[in-house]
Amino acid sequence: MQTSIDAPAAGWRDGKKHLWPLALLVPVLPFLAYALWQAGAGPAAWWLTPAVVFGLIPIIDVLLGDDGENPPDDIARRLQEVRYYRWITFLFLPVQYAALLLGAWVWTRGGLGAAGAAGLVATIGIVNGLAINTAHELGHKRETVERWLSKIALAPTGYGHFYVEHNRGHHVRVATPEDPASARLGESFYSFWPRTVWGSLISAWRLEIGRFRLRHRSPWTLRNNLLNAGLMTVVLFALLIAVFGWRLVPFLFLQAIVGFSLLEAVNYLEHYGLCRRRTATGRFEKVDPRHSWNSDRVVTNVFLFQLQRHSDHHANPLRRYQTLRSFDVSPRLPGGYASMVLLALVPPLWYRVMNPRVLAHYGGDLNLANRNPRAEARLRRRYGRPAADTTAVHAA
């Protein structure tokens, strides 16, 4: 099998090839924070990871700008098979788990103080939150090893149901009112969070129950992906508590909440307000590049395995991160995910920035957006009454 991707005849090279190992930087940061803490930097050392992820990376993103380069189709087919890119995702997991062990040891050792403890929870939560993105990349693949590694990456956050719901739920219902992971126009992140956390769990369980019913088998088996993934979390937490003691329990649960909340913040911005139309048959139209918010910010794309090229991911879920493409027709975020997550935490600013973009995407017609029914009156007052002849749907 030919794996060279230099392609001099096509004039294309993978300009990010030597940047991809930077995706491993975030799980390494806790060790640098620990070194600084030991050197006398105090509690502030444990805020290094949040500062890099939500401070330094957005700044570098702005300085470097966008990269809209796409691999030609013939190169992309060969690029898919280059194992170098696969090993980058594999290596994330041992570093992730090493960071978790470091966090557990530091927590139970004591001496952090309130500020240091909060910083440590945020640090390990961010690492394990980004690991959910690694699990996302691995979980979409056909190879059995990668699918099991996906569940292992999800174990520290207790979010194993993501493996089921994302692949078989979200990808089917994306950008519709039926999807708990698609945020609605006028819906704040704080309203979206409980709806998606609970709704995704319930949906995943129903999907697995349905899978076993089709085979006339009981779902109460370790072949149930929710149960075997959940068991991984139980075993992991039990082992950590056995080693470090019961003092570790608050740390484990708090870092898990931070981790999966980071995932849900990304879910919030990926499809905010976007909606697929119903066809004449009553079914939703096929997913296309118009149904995901995209960004070509270079640095954030490296750290997130090009998750920001989200439209191509939904169109081609099996496509590996190094071959994902950018589309001109996709709606664009004004920044990378790191900066947009911060914006999402301040609803008035989020609405001011994003609501006009959603409306512009639909030519000013509110009915074409996936709207929050609780915000319907406010949206009409602010942006005008929706046209009466549209056939778009909104949440019931």
Side-chain angles (χ1 to χ4, degrees):
M1 178 183 297
Q2 184 178 7
T3 58
S4 171
I5 58 167
D6 290 343
W12 187 91
R13 296 177 66 94
D14 180 12
K16 299 190 188 81
K17 181 174 183 179
H18 301 297
L19 292 178
W20 291 120
L22 287 176
L24 305 177
L25 173 62
V26 172
V28 170
L29 287 176
F31 298 94
L32 180 55
Y34 175 73
L36 293 172
W37 185 56
Q38 288 290 86
W46 292 110
W47 291 94
L48 174 67
T49 301
V52 169
V53 172
F54 296 111
L56 182 61
I57 288 177
I59 292 172
I60 299 177
D61 261 344
V62 171
L63 294 176
L64 295 184
D66 292 344
D67 173 22
E69 184 181 43
N70 295 326
D73 289 342
D74 58 332
I75 303 299
R77 285 191 292 271
R78 290 152 55 196
L79 194 63
Q80 281 270 118
E81 304 304 323
V82 180
R83 298 193 67 84
Y84 165 82
Y85 302 94
R86 210 168 303 183
W87 278 104
I88 299 296
T89 57
F90 292 171
L91 288 172
F92 192 102
L93 273 68
V95 187
Q96 170 201 2
Y97 271 73
L100 177 62
L101 288 172
L102 173 68
W105 180 72
V106 171
W107 180 274
T108 53
R109 183 185 178 191
L112 284 167
L120 180 63
V121 166
T123 290
I124 304 303
I126 289 171
V127 170
N128 287 324
L130 290 181
I132 300 179
N133 179 58
T134 306
H136 167 261
E137 173 67 20
L138 294 167
H140 271 291
K141 304 307 176 281
R142 290 195 175 102
E143 288 77 359
T144 301
V145 170
E146 289 180 278
R147 292 187 173 216
W148 279 104
L149 288 175
S150 174
K151 295 177 186 178
I152 292 171
L154 291 167
T157 51
Y159 231 54
H161 65 276
F162 175 82
Y163 174 85
V164 174
E165 166 58 20
H166 180 82
N167 291 359
R168 292 162 49 201
H170 175 64
H171 269 259
V172 173
R173 300 177 302 225
V174 63
T176 71
E178 299 174 2
D179 181 28
S182 292
R184 301 159 179 169
L185 182 69
E187 181 179 34
S188 73
F189 171 68
Y190 303 102
S191 295
F192 172 77
W193 188 91
R195 181 172 72 83
T196 188
V197 169
W198 182 247
S200 296
L201 177 60
I202 295 299
S203 174
W205 179 250
R206 288 173 177 168
L207 287 167
E208 277 296 90
I209 290 289
R211 182 168 73 92
F212 282 93
R213 280 179 178 170
L214 285 175
R215 301 176 180 180
H216 305 287
R217 295 179 180 175
S218 169
W220 300 103
T221 169
L222 286 181
R223 293 183 179 180
N224 183 318
N225 286 308
L226 263 69
L227 297 183
N228 59 50
L231 183 61
M232 288 185 183
T233 297
V234 172
V235 171
L236 173 64
F237 282 18
L239 287 174
L240 290 172
I241 292 169
V243 172
F244 297 103
W246 288 101
R247 290 182 59 189
L248 190 64
V249 172
F251 169 77
L252 291 176
F253 282 95
L254 289 172
Q255 64 80 29
I257 292 171
V258 171
F260 69 70
S261 295
L262 179 57
L263 162 75
E264 298 301 357
V266 170
N267 275 338
Y268 176 76
L269 59 91
E270 284 176 335
H271 306 282
Y272 177 76
L274 302 180
C275 193
R276 289 151 59 194
R277 305 289 300 277
R278 286 198 185 273
T279 66
T281 64
R283 304 184 68 177
F284 289 106
E285 66 183 329
K286 184 179 178 180
V287 179
D288 67 33
R290 300 169 299 162
H291 301 130
S292 302
W293 291 98
N294 285 252
S295 173
D296 274 326
R297 297 294 190 187
V298 176
V299 180
T300 313
N301 261 329
V302 167
F303 280 97
L304 294 178
F305 298 117
Q306 298 212 122
L307 180 68
Q308 296 179 140
R309 292 188 167 187
H310 209 59
S311 291
D312 197 17
H313 166 69
H314 271 279
N316 302 281
L318 295 177
R319 186 181 289 267
R320 293 188 180 274
Y321 69 91
Q322 67 269 22
T323 65
L324 290 173
R325 299 161 297 177
S326 176
F327 298 112
D328 291 337
V329 296
S330 300
R332 296 280 168 172
L333 293 169
Y337 279 12
S339 57
M340 298 305 295
V341 164
L342 291 180
L343 191 67
L345 299 180
V346 188
L349 293 180
W350 173 265
Y351 295 149
R352 178 172 295 184
V353 171
M354 288 303 299
N355 284 9
R357 284 174 166 79
V358 175
L359 268 294
H361 182 62
Y362 290 118
D365 190 346
L366 278 175
N367 263 359
L368 298 179
N370 182 8
R371 307 187 305 281
N372 178 12
R374 296 181 179 180
E376 188 77 32
R378 171 168 56 86
L379 291 171
R380 284 204 304 267
R381 287 194 302 268
R382 177 67 178 84
Y383 301 108
R385 183 178 296 276
D389 59 350
T390 183
T391 59
V393 296
H394 65 87

